[in-house]
Amino acid sequence: MAEVTVGVPVYNGADLIAESLDCLVNQTFRDIEILVFDNASTDGTQQIIEGFAARDPRIRYVRRPENVGAIKNFIDPLDQATSPYFMWRAHDDLCSLDYIEKLVAGLKRTPGSKLATGTIEHVRRAGRKTEILVPRLPARTLPAIEIVQLMFRSHAGWYYGLWDTETLRTLVHRVWTEFPYAWASDHLTLYPLLLDRAVVAVPETRFIQRVVVKEYTPKKGEKPSVAHVKELRAIFSQSCRDFLAERDFGPVTRFILDAAIWPYTGKRVYKARRVWKRELAAYFKRPAPGPQG
């Protein structure tokens, strides 16, 4: 059994999958298993992966006979992992060659940690500016202050760090049951670890996240309906409160953390003021009632 499993879900990734797999097979940490789940790609993805698997026995290739949907294809590698540590890798993302080595070391030297994250290089397509996001964990202080700082400093890219496998598996199935939406599910999965202060930062290594438009992302000029974002906000905030209720905090700490859920939901899902603004605009655009009688 390998110490680390890397799950690589892919669909029609022939443009970048070779570069991503090359990055993984050349990691300085060698004790890894790479599970590639191909969601019935129709381009040259299959041939590329089979070529890598023929050269490196650490790669296990699962070819779907038909497309099972993005969510199942994403979760199945985690469900099949038997290693103590797990990480996801999108077919178009990269990392430093010492990324896994440094994150494993970070988890091992930090008792109680369940997730290790490196510096995130956020690369946007179409010539947009690249962001470098160095993880800044707060100093140990009052729990409420530290957790609130973690909540607002965390980044979606942390989701692609190195996890304790059983912790992640439990959280993912719970989150997708309570909140079955790709939008903001990563932040909801991270939230319990922020409450537990179970994240370790390893800023000297780098995850390179190349951002593309996802299926669930509204196209330019389009907006999700007000009803939909209100539903997302309500479920997200209630799930956060459920996670908070399961933890043994004192009354003052609990009060502060509960109060922080409202702005946190706005930051991670959709701002309340934007909902109100759209509702107000819709109200004033309604046609005047016609004459009676």
Side-chain angles (χ1 to χ4, degrees):
M1 179 181 71
E3 190 166 13
V4 174
T5 297
V6 183
V8 185
V10 60
Y11 173 69
N12 285 353
D15 55 340
L16 294 169
I17 186 68
E19 191 177 2
S20 183
L21 289 177
D22 189 65
C23 173
L24 290 173
V25 300
N26 286 295
Q27 287 289 301
T28 56
F29 190 88
R30 307 299 296 171
D31 191 14
I32 66 174
E33 176 185 35
I34 304 167
L35 304 182
V36 186
F37 276 62
D38 179 0
N39 207 7
S41 293
T42 57
D43 61 358
T45 297
Q46 179 176 1
Q47 292 74 23
I48 294 169
I49 300 170
E50 287 177 339
F52 272 89
R55 297 189 296 271
D56 195 319
R58 296 175 299 168
I59 296 175
R60 180 153 66 89
Y61 178 43
V62 177
R63 164 78 182 180
R64 307 277 195 186
E66 59 184 24
N67 194 299
V68 297
I71 294 173
K72 179 173 175 54
N73 201 53
F74 188 79
I75 294 176
D76 278 357
L78 172 62
D79 282 343
Q80 293 201 17
T82 58
S83 58
Y85 302 121
F86 180 89
M87 62 182 288
W88 273 297
R89 174 59 50 86
H91 82 275
D92 53 353
D93 290 339
L94 302 169
C95 64
S96 305
L97 292 182
D98 63 358
Y99 186 68
I100 297 178
E101 178 184 359
K102 292 291 178 63
L103 296 190
V104 168
L107 286 174
K108 288 184 174 181
R109 70 170 176 261
T110 313
S113 60
K114 302 297 182 182
L115 168 66
T117 179
T119 291
I120 298 163
E121 183 176 336
H122 202 60
V123 182
R124 297 181 181 274
R125 298 288 182 89
R128 297 177 66 184
K129 186 177 180 181
T130 295
E131 297 177 271
I132 305 297
L133 303 159
V134 180
R136 295 185 304 114
L137 302 189
R140 287 283 170 172
T141 179
L142 295 175
I145 295 173
E146 185 179 348
I147 293 166
V148 170
Q149 288 179 329
L150 269 174
M151 288 167 62
F152 291 94
R153 290 180 183 179
S154 61
H155 186 271
W158 291 14
Y159 196 69
Y160 291 90
L162 186 67
W163 293 76
D164 172 80
T165 302
E166 287 308 315
T167 299
L168 178 59
R169 187 151 37 216
T170 300
L171 285 174
V172 161
H173 282 283
R174 174 172 173 175
V175 166
W176 280 104
T177 299
E178 296 178 3
F179 187 83
Y181 307 100
W183 189 352
S185 63
D186 44 8
H187 289 291
L188 189 54
T189 306
L190 290 167
Y191 180 71
L193 271 65
L194 309 182
L195 291 177
D196 297 338
R197 294 173 288 174
V199 180
V200 59
V202 188
E204 63 270 22
T205 193
R206 184 167 297 198
F207 170 57
I208 303 168
Q209 186 174 38
R210 297 191 281 197
V211 182
V212 296
V213 175
K214 307 296 183 185
E215 292 178 4
Y216 57 86
T217 304
K219 296 178 181 178
K220 187 175 181 180
E222 294 181 354
K223 293 180 180 178
S225 71
V226 169
H228 183 55
V229 295
K230 288 174 74 173
E231 180 185 26
L232 289 174
R233 282 179 53 87
I235 300 173
F236 185 95
S237 59
Q238 184 56 55
S239 294
C240 288
R241 290 190 175 91
D242 291 343
F243 280 123
L244 177 58
E246 294 164 6
R247 279 147 178 87
D248 188 23
F249 292 119
V252 175
T253 297
R254 187 174 300 279
F255 176 82
I256 293 170
L257 295 178
D258 185 72
I261 289 173
W262 190 81
Y264 183 68
T265 300
K267 183 176 178 64
R268 301 309 183 193
V269 183
Y270 203 87
K271 293 184 183 299
R273 62 179 173 81
R274 293 174 64 190
V275 177
W276 300 334
K277 185 177 179 180
R278 289 177 60 188
E279 287 184 318
L280 209 62
Y283 176 81
F284 285 110
K285 285 181 180 178
R286 290 175 185 170
Q292 300 296 314

